[in-house]
Amino acid sequence: MRNILVPIGTLPNVTETLQYAVDFAADFSAKIYVMDAFNISAKAGSLANISERLAKSGKERIKGIIDQVDSRNVDIKIATFNGELVDGIMKINKELGIDLIILSPKSNHVHEGLYLGNTSGKIIKRTDIPALIVPQGAKYKPFKSILTAFKSGVLKRKRILNPLITIQKKHDATVNLLLVKTPEYTDDDLKVNTALMDLCSNLTVTENATTYLGVMEHFQSKHPDLLCVFRRKRGFFVKLWEKNTISKSEFSVPIPVLILSVKKY
């Protein structure tokens, strides 16, 4: 894990998220790219250099945020982008190769009833980069118990598991697999990939209407430090594919959530 991206929003807890990312990066000897985006179309005349001025202003704001955290000798770089944040993330990923995005559940739009805000929701929905959602107030600590939930054991590519494997090895974590048989399951879905099984300390098979309900049923008994799910078009965050926000009544856990890239269409 070499490059970690932290999108900066406007929430008052942005320094908490960045400090968590810095502590995580220090543990894995990774670099951090702190990114913000602005959106303006520069035109002729007096607006010709406004993009440059906004980029400079954005960098100064990010520097101020960075100054508030303990950098722990982590290499922290600043990136600004003129355009939509998601487009900027995809651009920097193409240029550098981002291994993980660390973000707060809510960014830019503050709403007490939301677990996943509009901006964070767009990042999860429209990118295919592994993401770690860090709840407000969380302090980084080694993950000793990881609950990995899925409704199909089929993996499109083994490397999809790389972030999970890296974390498991680093922290010598126990990985509990939860296979949720939903009503539309097939026999192939029950064939768990060997790479997943190699990580596994325990496999539980349950029957529920959705993967989400399966997780909620077994969450307390497993006591995980980290929940790992897969990003799919119709996967764990099923509501996410219908809208960019997720309310706390639909989903909320007090631990970080690792979302791996698409595994199966």
Side-chain angles (χ1 to χ4, degrees):
M1 198 173 297
R2 298 173 301 169
N3 298 323
I4 295 173
L5 181 69
V6 183
I8 292 295
T10 57
L11 285 182
N13 68 323
V14 66
T15 53
E16 291 181 1
T17 303
L18 181 56
Q19 186 65 66
Y20 188 102
V22 168
D23 294 341
F24 184 100
D27 204 12
F28 288 86
S29 301
K31 294 180 181 179
I32 282 185
Y33 292 85
V34 183
M35 184 176 187
D36 199 7
F38 57 92
N39 199 346
I40 189 166
S41 299
K43 299 179 180 179
S46 61
L47 295 180
N49 64 346
I50 193 169
S51 176
E52 182 178 339
R53 294 203 305 269
L54 285 175
K56 183 178 179 181
S57 175
K59 288 180 180 179
E60 290 301 318
R61 186 175 78 89
I62 293 174
K63 285 180 181 178
I65 294 171
I66 292 173
D67 287 342
Q68 296 179 55
V69 305
D70 178 2
S71 66
R72 300 190 56 189
N73 294 320
V74 171
D75 187 2
I76 305 175
K77 298 184 181 300
I78 296 174
T80 59
F81 183 74
N82 181 7
E84 294 293 333
L85 178 60
V86 172
D87 294 334
I89 289 174
M90 291 190 290
K91 183 175 184 292
I92 195 172
N93 180 50
K94 185 176 180 180
E95 292 176 355
L96 301 173
I98 299 300
D99 299 297
L100 185 69
I101 300 173
I102 295 181
L103 70 163
S104 166
K106 297 180 294 183
S107 57
N108 292 333
H109 298 280
V110 180
H111 193 298
E112 287 303 318
L114 293 181
Y115 168 73
L116 201 62
N118 186 59
T119 301
S120 299
K122 284 182 179 178
I123 293 171
I124 300 300
K125 180 178 179 179
R126 293 177 51 196
T127 70
D128 194 26
I129 305 168
L132 183 65
I133 301 177
V134 180
Q136 184 174 352
K139 305 295 184 183
Y140 176 71
K141 61 180 182 179
F143 303 117
K144 293 301 183 183
S145 176
I146 303 172
L147 177 60
T148 302
F150 51 93
K151 66 178 182 179
S152 172
V154 177
L155 286 177
K156 193 174 182 181
R157 293 179 296 273
K158 180 182 176 181
R159 68 173 181 270
I160 289 168
L161 292 174
N162 283 352
L164 177 60
I165 293 172
T166 300
I167 290 172
Q168 189 275 333
K169 288 183 177 179
K170 179 69 176 180
H171 296 156
D172 192 24
T174 297
V175 177
N176 293 303
L177 302 185
L178 181 65
L179 172 56
V180 183
K181 292 168 61 176
T182 56
E184 72 276 14
Y185 84 90
T186 67
D187 289 340
D188 283 342
D189 289 334
L190 304 182
K191 299 174 183 176
V192 182
N193 185 276
T194 55
L196 261 177
M197 290 303 298
D198 287 344
L199 289 171
C200 174
S201 297
N202 179 61
L203 170 63
T204 300
V205 180
T206 183
E207 292 193 37
N208 297 89
T210 65
T211 312
Y212 163 72
L213 290 175
V215 168
M216 291 299 98
E217 179 182 329
H218 293 271
F219 184 80
Q220 293 298 332
S221 63
K222 300 298 183 183
H223 300 293
D225 302 312
L226 176 68
L227 173 63
C228 179
V229 296
F230 293 90
R231 179 195 279 111
R232 297 180 59 177
K233 287 186 176 180
R234 305 300 300 179
F236 182 79
F237 285 119
V238 61
K239 294 288 185 182
L240 180 57
W241 308 122
E242 298 167 2
K243 57 186 180 180
N244 290 328
T245 59
I246 294 180
S247 70
K248 289 181 180 177
S249 63
E250 292 168 330
F251 174 76
S252 183
V253 292
I255 62 172
V257 179
L258 175 65
I259 304 176
L260 300 181
S261 301
V262 175
K263 65 167 185 172
K264 179 186 175 187
Y265 288 93

